[in-house]
Amino acid sequence: MSRIIFHIDVNSAYLSWEAVYRLQHGSQIDLREIPSIVGGDQEKRHGIVLAKSIPAKKYNILTGESVHSALQKCPNLVMVPPNYERYVNASNAMISILNQYSPHIQRYSIDEAFMDYSNMENHFLDAAYEIKDRIKNELGFTVNIGIGPNKLLAKMASDFKKPDKVHTLFSYEIEEKMWPLPVEELFMVGSRTKSKLNGRGIYTIGQLAKLDRDYIYSWLKKPGLLIWNYANGIENSEVKKGSVPVKSVGNSTTTAFDVETAAEAHKVLLAISEMVGMRIRDLNSCGSVVSVGLKNDHFFHYSHQKKLDIPTSSTNTIYKTAKMLFDEMWNGEPLRNISISLSELSSNDFFQLSLLQKYDKRDEILDRTIDKLRFKYGYNSVIRSCFLHSGISPIIGGVMMEEEYPMMSSRL
DNA sequence: TCTGGGGTCCTAGGACCC
DNA sequence: TCTGGGGTCCTAGGACCC
């Protein structure tokens, strides 16, 4: 049985959404028509390019590069800061249009969605154009829609010429439309794999596709087999309706100045623990592995983790474990980024466990009380006294709390 | 004061057990 | 005289995605 899958991808998402918002609020300038970017605050050392306009792309500005280098490529580049709430709203508005065409929608990221449009063979192209045009007319931003027999080919198709286009990529079109492309344009071929492939003379998706299957498997193992299948258009995952279960919850921060003392680092760890704890309790979940990651002033990243005997959702337990991991791994060097992640999640419904963890449960009752106050009166309505006059935010983490958002995965 | 933040999955080595 | 071997768990690190 053949399927028809759509992949809907917002063109220059953050930048388009910012442009539309500003036009709707009286701006005379359409950011999409000038060299412009959405970029992070350089003073906070968050200065990277989050999105770029098509004119900015002509200056060879890349998403993810530093704002500093983008400005060197284009000195009169216009830069605006990100506003995530606006983007969530725009994304939600797009999804509500999509919902009118099919109930089989997988929200893949804030600006991408898959839609299963099988059994509508006769008019899928009309539908795609209608969706695209409705989003443009009703919401003010453009999308590309890729159509294919599976999610991979639909996604590859949406990446063809932009903006405001519908493309198909069916099996019989692979050779003509996908195989001539540079191998790094294939989903899941990043810079490391590109180098390896180029090193053996493989430059196009077609060349990868024609390799011997056993050869690529013995060379690049599972990831090799995956990209070989992709290069041949082989992929059969479902469009997953609703939210995909979360596997881990983590937050991190790049500090405006290097952290140089253990006392400072501990406060940052506590502030991140507050956020991770609040999020895991909000999910009614708990986790058994706590990981701490550090990035030093030379951008070298390393991490330690610990599996707990009993899964936890307690801020205090997360913090104590994180602190222990930090103390065992930190050699005193200046740090620019600190992260905590909680994984191996399980449901928090089994309260019989509390027989074994009285200490943890008392913490959790206090945590939940504080959570309620913070939801009601704001994050800073209840803070730990050690943060007073510390110059460190008492809760650290950049996730929007309204709804745990199905984040993207590197799997389709 | 050039380089964010949130995720998923895979691999490899060592500990430990039978 | 030679030091098997398979399985699972834990940990650190790396690759990729948006």
Side-chain angles (χ1 to χ4, degrees):
Chain A
M1 192 192 107
S2 81
R3 297 188 298 161
I4 303 281
I5 308 295
F6 287 9
H7 180 250
I8 300 94
D9 191 338
V10 180
N11 301 129
S12 318
Y14 288 5
L15 189 110
S16 297
W17 290 333
E18 206 54 51
V20 170
Y21 180 88
R22 283 157 189 261
L23 289 171
Q24 287 170 350
H25 288 76
S27 171
Q28 301 299 310
I29 297 162
D30 188 336
L31 291 170
R32 292 169 290 192
E33 293 170 359
I34 60 172
S36 67
I37 58 170
V38 175
D41 185 346
Q42 292 178 92
E43 290 196 0
K44 290 184 174 162
R45 304 202 293 189
H46 292 184
I48 64 153
V49 175
L50 296 161
K52 59 193 181 294
S53 67
I54 290 174
K57 192 177 180 178
K58 300 219 161 81
Y59 287 85
N60 192 31
I61 289 167
L62 308 170
T63 300
E65 81 174 315
S66 68
V67 168
H68 179 87
S69 91
L71 284 166
Q72 287 188 331
K73 291 176 181 176
C74 177
N76 57 350
L77 187 68
V78 171
M79 177 165 90
V80 298
N83 294 278
Y84 294 101
E85 269 190 55
R86 288 178 198 169
Y87 311 152
V88 172
N89 291 340
S91 174
N92 289 341
M94 178 174 88
I95 296 297
S96 54
I97 289 182
L98 298 182
N99 275 323
Q100 296 166 33
Y101 291 84
S102 168
H104 298 98
I105 291 172
Q106 178 182 351
R107 236 171 143 157
Y108 185 65
S109 74
I110 193 164
D111 67 331
E112 291 179 36
F114 290 100
M115 188 159 89
D116 193 323
Y117 213 73
S118 302
N119 308 319
M120 308 277 199
E121 278 81 357
N122 295 326
H123 67 291
F124 66 82
L125 259 184
D126 294 338
Y129 278 98
E130 188 180 310
I131 291 168
K132 169 181 91 65
D133 291 335
R134 277 193 61 194
I135 291 171
K136 180 164 64 173
N137 297 332
E138 295 174 27
L139 304 178
F141 55 87
T142 62
V143 298
N144 263 33
I145 299 184
I147 305 173
N150 59 41
K151 287 160 70 179
L152 182 271
L153 292 174
K155 185 161 167 56
M156 292 302 295
S158 70
D159 221 25
F160 295 164
K161 195 178 181 213
K162 298 169 185 173
D164 197 24
K165 295 272 190 291
V166 173
H167 299 283
T168 62
L169 182 51
F170 291 106
S171 301
Y172 64 89
E173 299 175 295
I174 289 174
E175 191 169 347
E176 174 208 339
K177 292 187 176 178
M178 187 167 86
W179 281 3
L181 297 176
V183 74
E184 65 270 23
E185 290 188 22
L186 183 64
F187 183 67
M188 290 303 287
V189 176
S191 67
R192 307 303 289 256
T193 308
K194 168 190 152 71
S195 303
K196 285 184 195 169
L197 292 168
N198 288 174
R200 295 198 188 186
I202 299 146
Y203 294 93
T204 68
I205 298 178
Q207 286 177 297
L208 169 59
K210 286 173 206 150
L211 291 179
D212 179 70
R213 190 174 178 279
D214 294 337
Y215 169 71
I216 187 98
Y217 181 68
S218 63
W219 176 23
L220 299 175
K221 303 289 161 30
K222 266 191 170 183
L225 203 51
L226 183 80
I227 59 173
W228 183 86
N229 280 325
Y230 285 0
N232 283 288
I234 300 166
E235 194 276 324
N236 58 15
S237 68
E238 293 297 308
V239 173
K240 298 176 194 81
K241 279 201 281 181
S243 54
V244 182
V246 179
K247 300 271 178 66
S248 70
V249 167
N251 288 93
S252 66
T253 187
T254 292
T255 48
F257 299 93
D258 285 344
V259 169
E260 294 186 321
T261 67
E264 260 182 304
H266 292 164
K267 276 184 191 141
V268 173
L269 288 169
L270 177 55
I272 299 172
S273 300
E274 294 266 24
M275 180 57 91
V276 172
M278 185 156 61
R279 290 177 62 205
I280 197 71
R281 292 186 295 273
D282 190 49
L283 288 168
N284 252 307
S285 186
C286 47
S288 6
V289 175
V290 176
S291 313
V292 173
L294 304 178
K295 197 194 277 178
N296 67 20
D297 53 344
H298 302 306
F299 280 80
F300 181 76
H301 180 270
Y302 49 106
S303 66
H304 276 194
Q305 64 183 59
K306 172 145 185 67
K307 179 157 182 151
L308 306 172
D309 294 330
I310 303 161
T312 191
S313 65
S314 146
T315 292
N316 234 325
T317 304
I318 296 167
Y319 171 60
K320 280 183 190 156
T321 311
K323 184 166 168 285
M324 187 203 79
L325 289 165
F326 175 86
D327 290 343
E328 84 183 19
M329 73 193 285
W330 187 51
N331 63 10
E333 65 190 349
L335 299 172
R336 68 175 283 132
N337 180 282
I338 297 178
S339 62
I340 301 178
S341 173
L342 186 62
S343 56
E344 288 195 22
L345 306 189
S346 52
S347 160
N348 197 19
D349 293 339
F350 302 102
F351 273 98
Q352 66 268 29
L353 272 178
S354 60
L355 288 172
L356 300 166
Q357 49 172 166
K358 284 182 192 134
Y359 59 92
D360 209 71
K361 195 184 172 192
R362 284 180 55 173
D363 275 351
E364 196 183 317
I365 291 166
L366 177 59
D367 282 335
R368 287 195 176 271
T369 307
I370 294 171
D371 291 348
K372 280 183 197 151
L373 290 169
R374 283 176 172 160
F375 276 119
K376 199 166 171 186
Y377 300 108
Y379 288 177
N380 293 327
S381 57
V382 186
I383 71 169
R384 300 195 190 233
S385 61
C386 68
F387 289 108
L388 289 171
H389 313 111
S390 71
I392 294 169
S393 165
I395 304 179
I396 291 175
V399 157
M400 335 118 201
M401 293 292 291
E402 286 73 30
E403 194 181 294
E404 275 298 331
Y405 207 79
M407 298 304 283
M408 68 290 308
S409 75
S410 56
R411 286 304 170 113
L412 291 178

